[in-house]
PDB file of all heavy atoms in Angstrom:
ATOM      1  N   HIS V  39     -17.459  13.509  -0.957  1.00  0.00           N
ATOM      2  CA  HIS V  39     -17.560  13.725  -2.398  1.00  0.00           C
ATOM      3  C   HIS V  39     -17.936  12.410  -3.054  1.00  0.00           C
ATOM      4  O   HIS V  39     -17.439  11.344  -2.677  1.00  0.00           O
ATOM      5  CB  HIS V  39     -16.271  14.295  -2.983  1.00  0.00           C
ATOM      6  CG  HIS V  39     -15.024  13.781  -2.339  1.00  0.00           C
ATOM      7  ND1 HIS V  39     -14.570  12.500  -2.564  1.00  0.00           N
ATOM      8  CD2 HIS V  39     -14.161  14.337  -1.463  1.00  0.00           C
ATOM      9  CE1 HIS V  39     -13.479  12.320  -1.862  1.00  0.00           C
ATOM     10  NE2 HIS V  39     -13.206  13.405  -1.177  1.00  0.00           N
ATOM     11  N   ALA V  40     -18.806  12.508  -4.062  1.00  0.00           N
ATOM     12  CA  ALA V  40     -19.333  11.296  -4.686  1.00  0.00           C
ATOM     13  C   ALA V  40     -18.249  10.568  -5.477  1.00  0.00           C
ATOM     14  O   ALA V  40     -18.191   9.350  -5.501  1.00  0.00           O
ATOM     15  CB  ALA V  40     -20.494  11.641  -5.598  1.00  0.00           C
ATOM     16  N   ARG V  41     -17.390  11.326  -6.153  1.00  0.00           N
ATOM     17  CA  ARG V  41     -16.257  10.761  -6.882  1.00  0.00           C
ATOM     18  C   ARG V  41     -15.019  11.477  -6.389  1.00  0.00           C
ATOM     19  O   ARG V  41     -15.102  12.595  -5.907  1.00  0.00           O
ATOM     20  CB  ARG V  41     -16.427  10.993  -8.393  1.00  0.00           C
ATOM     21  CG  ARG V  41     -17.658  10.341  -8.993  1.00  0.00           C
ATOM     22  CD  ARG V  41     -17.548   8.841  -9.011  1.00  0.00           C
ATOM     23  NE  ARG V  41     -18.766   8.225  -9.556  1.00  0.00           N
ATOM     24  CZ  ARG V  41     -19.767   7.782  -8.800  1.00  0.00           C
ATOM     25  NH1 ARG V  41     -19.727   7.884  -7.492  1.00  0.00           N
ATOM     26  NH2 ARG V  41     -20.830   7.233  -9.365  1.00  0.00           N
ATOM     27  N   ARG V  42     -13.877  10.836  -6.526  1.00  0.00           N
ATOM     28  CA  ARG V  42     -12.663  11.504  -6.080  1.00  0.00           C
ATOM     29  C   ARG V  42     -12.526  12.839  -6.792  1.00  0.00           C
ATOM     30  O   ARG V  42     -12.684  12.906  -8.020  1.00  0.00           O
ATOM     31  CB  ARG V  42     -11.441  10.628  -6.372  1.00  0.00           C
ATOM     32  CG  ARG V  42     -11.151   9.722  -5.186  1.00  0.00           C
ATOM     33  CD  ARG V  42     -10.171   8.647  -5.536  1.00  0.00           C
ATOM     34  NE  ARG V  42     -10.631   7.381  -4.970  1.00  0.00           N
ATOM     35  CZ  ARG V  42     -10.132   6.192  -5.260  1.00  0.00           C
ATOM     36  NH1 ARG V  42      -9.175   6.083  -6.126  1.00  0.00           N
ATOM     37  NH2 ARG V  42     -10.598   5.114  -4.685  1.00  0.00           N
ATOM     38  N   PRO V  43     -12.250  13.925  -6.068  1.00  0.00           N
ATOM     39  CA  PRO V  43     -12.247  15.246  -6.716  1.00  0.00           C
ATOM     40  C   PRO V  43     -11.121  15.364  -7.738  1.00  0.00           C
ATOM     41  O   PRO V  43     -10.008  14.905  -7.500  1.00  0.00           O
ATOM     42  CB  PRO V  43     -12.043  16.219  -5.545  1.00  0.00           C
ATOM     43  CG  PRO V  43     -11.545  15.392  -4.409  1.00  0.00           C
ATOM     44  CD  PRO V  43     -12.014  13.997  -4.625  1.00  0.00           C
ATOM     45  N   GLN V  44     -11.440  15.985  -8.833  1.00  0.00           N
ATOM     46  CA  GLN V  44     -10.508  16.180  -9.965  1.00  0.00           C
ATOM     47  C   GLN V  44      -9.706  14.925 -10.267  1.00  0.00           C
ATOM     48  O   GLN V  44      -8.501  14.995 -10.520  1.00  0.00           O
ATOM     49  CB  GLN V  44      -9.547  17.333  -9.665  1.00  0.00           C
ATOM     50  CG  GLN V  44     -10.130  18.694  -9.828  1.00  0.00           C
ATOM     51  CD  GLN V  44     -10.129  19.446  -8.516  1.00  0.00           C
ATOM     52  OE1 GLN V  44      -9.207  19.302  -7.722  1.00  0.00           O
ATOM     53  NE2 GLN V  44     -11.159  20.229  -8.279  1.00  0.00           N
ATOM     54  N   SER V  45     -10.383  13.782 -10.244  1.00  0.00           N
ATOM     55  CA  SER V  45      -9.689  12.513 -10.424  1.00  0.00           C
ATOM     56  C   SER V  45      -8.870  12.491 -11.713  1.00  0.00           C
ATOM     57  O   SER V  45      -7.679  12.167 -11.702  1.00  0.00           O
ATOM     58  CB  SER V  45     -10.709  11.381 -10.421  1.00  0.00           C
ATOM     59  OG  SER V  45     -10.101  10.170 -10.754  1.00  0.00           O
ATOM     60  N   LEU V  46      -9.502  12.873 -12.826  1.00  0.00           N
ATOM     61  CA  LEU V  46      -8.797  12.786 -14.112  1.00  0.00           C
ATOM     62  C   LEU V  46      -7.632  13.757 -14.192  1.00  0.00           C
ATOM     63  O   LEU V  46      -6.541  13.386 -14.634  1.00  0.00           O
ATOM     64  CB  LEU V  46      -9.770  13.065 -15.270  1.00  0.00           C
ATOM     65  CG  LEU V  46     -10.788  11.962 -15.578  1.00  0.00           C
ATOM     66  CD1 LEU V  46     -11.522  12.275 -16.861  1.00  0.00           C
ATOM     67  CD2 LEU V  46     -10.100  10.616 -15.669  1.00  0.00           C
ATOM     68  N   GLU V  47      -7.846  14.995 -13.736  1.00  0.00           N
ATOM     69  CA  GLU V  47      -6.794  16.004 -13.825  1.00  0.00           C
ATOM     70  C   GLU V  47      -5.597  15.586 -12.978  1.00  0.00           C
ATOM     71  O   GLU V  47      -4.448  15.616 -13.432  1.00  0.00           O
ATOM     72  CB  GLU V  47      -7.304  17.366 -13.336  1.00  0.00           C
ATOM     73  CG  GLU V  47      -8.339  18.006 -14.245  1.00  0.00           C
ATOM     74  CD  GLU V  47      -9.758  17.557 -13.927  1.00  0.00           C
ATOM     75  OE1 GLU V  47      -9.921  16.477 -13.294  1.00  0.00           O
ATOM     76  OE2 GLU V  47     -10.707  18.268 -14.302  1.00  0.00           O
ATOM     77  N   ARG V  48      -5.869  15.184 -11.741  1.00  0.00           N
ATOM     78  CA  ARG V  48      -4.763  14.807 -10.849  1.00  0.00           C
ATOM     79  C   ARG V  48      -4.025  13.581 -11.362  1.00  0.00           C
ATOM     80  O   ARG V  48      -2.791  13.552 -11.369  1.00  0.00           O
ATOM     81  CB  ARG V  48      -5.310  14.514  -9.447  1.00  0.00           C
ATOM     82  CG  ARG V  48      -5.678  15.770  -8.708  1.00  0.00           C
ATOM     83  CD  ARG V  48      -6.070  15.436  -7.300  1.00  0.00           C
ATOM     84  NE  ARG V  48      -6.777  16.558  -6.701  1.00  0.00           N
ATOM     85  CZ  ARG V  48      -7.251  16.546  -5.470  1.00  0.00           C
ATOM     86  NH1 ARG V  48      -7.124  15.476  -4.718  1.00  0.00           N
ATOM     87  NH2 ARG V  48      -7.871  17.604  -4.987  1.00  0.00           N
ATOM     88  N   THR V  49      -4.788  12.572 -11.797  1.00  0.00           N
ATOM     89  CA  THR V  49      -4.133  11.361 -12.284  1.00  0.00           C
ATOM     90  C   THR V  49      -3.267  11.682 -13.494  1.00  0.00           C
ATOM     91  O   THR V  49      -2.139  11.197 -13.614  1.00  0.00           O
ATOM     92  CB  THR V  49      -5.184  10.298 -12.637  1.00  0.00           C
ATOM     93  OG1 THR V  49      -6.097  10.194 -11.565  1.00  0.00           O
ATOM     94  CG2 THR V  49      -4.546   8.949 -12.869  1.00  0.00           C
ATOM     95  N   THR V  50      -3.787  12.521 -14.397  1.00  0.00           N
ATOM     96  CA  THR V  50      -3.016  12.884 -15.584  1.00  0.00           C
ATOM     97  C   THR V  50      -1.735  13.602 -15.200  1.00  0.00           C
ATOM     98  O   THR V  50      -0.650  13.278 -15.698  1.00  0.00           O
ATOM     99  CB  THR V  50      -3.843  13.797 -16.509  1.00  0.00           C
ATOM    100  OG1 THR V  50      -5.131  13.218 -16.682  1.00  0.00           O
ATOM    101  CG2 THR V  50      -3.183  13.957 -17.852  1.00  0.00           C
ATOM    102  N   ALA V  51      -1.840  14.560 -14.292  1.00  0.00           N
ATOM    103  CA  ALA V  51      -0.651  15.313 -13.869  1.00  0.00           C
ATOM    104  C   ALA V  51       0.390  14.376 -13.268  1.00  0.00           C
ATOM    105  O   ALA V  51       1.579  14.454 -13.596  1.00  0.00           O
ATOM    106  CB  ALA V  51      -1.053  16.387 -12.869  1.00  0.00           C
ATOM    107  N   LEU V  52      -0.064  13.472 -12.399  1.00  0.00           N
ATOM    108  CA  LEU V  52       0.879  12.546 -11.755  1.00  0.00           C
ATOM    109  C   LEU V  52       1.479  11.588 -12.768  1.00  0.00           C
ATOM    110  O   LEU V  52       2.670  11.267 -12.709  1.00  0.00           O
ATOM    111  CB  LEU V  52       0.165  11.769 -10.647  1.00  0.00           C
ATOM    112  CG  LEU V  52      -0.191  12.598  -9.405  1.00  0.00           C
ATOM    113  CD1 LEU V  52      -1.254  11.917  -8.580  1.00  0.00           C
ATOM    114  CD2 LEU V  52       1.067  12.822  -8.579  1.00  0.00           C
ATOM    115  N   LEU V  53       0.650  11.156 -13.723  1.00  0.00           N
ATOM    116  CA  LEU V  53       1.144  10.224 -14.742  1.00  0.00           C
ATOM    117  C   LEU V  53       2.209  10.895 -15.607  1.00  0.00           C
ATOM    118  O   LEU V  53       3.260  10.310 -15.885  1.00  0.00           O
ATOM    119  CB  LEU V  53      -0.018   9.735 -15.604  1.00  0.00           C
ATOM    120  CG  LEU V  53       0.375   8.720 -16.671  1.00  0.00           C
ATOM    121  CD1 LEU V  53       0.678   7.387 -16.032  1.00  0.00           C
ATOM    122  CD2 LEU V  53      -0.717   8.559 -17.707  1.00  0.00           C
ATOM    123  N   LEU V  54       1.944  12.160 -15.999  1.00  0.00           N
ATOM    124  CA  LEU V  54       2.919  12.857 -16.847  1.00  0.00           C
ATOM    125  C   LEU V  54       4.222  13.086 -16.097  1.00  0.00           C
ATOM    126  O   LEU V  54       5.315  12.910 -16.664  1.00  0.00           O
ATOM    127  CB  LEU V  54       2.330  14.190 -17.334  1.00  0.00           C
ATOM    128  CG  LEU V  54       1.217  14.057 -18.376  1.00  0.00           C
ATOM    129  CD1 LEU V  54       0.690  15.421 -18.788  1.00  0.00           C
ATOM    130  CD2 LEU V  54       1.715  13.285 -19.597  1.00  0.00           C
TER     131      LEU V  54
END
Side-chain angles (χ1 to χ4, degrees):
Chain V
H39 36 73
R41 299 291 178 265
R42 270 167 223 168
Q44 283 118 36
S45 173
L46 287 189
E47 291 87 339
R48 285 186 196 179
T49 312
T50 312
L52 289 162
L53 182 73
L54 289 180

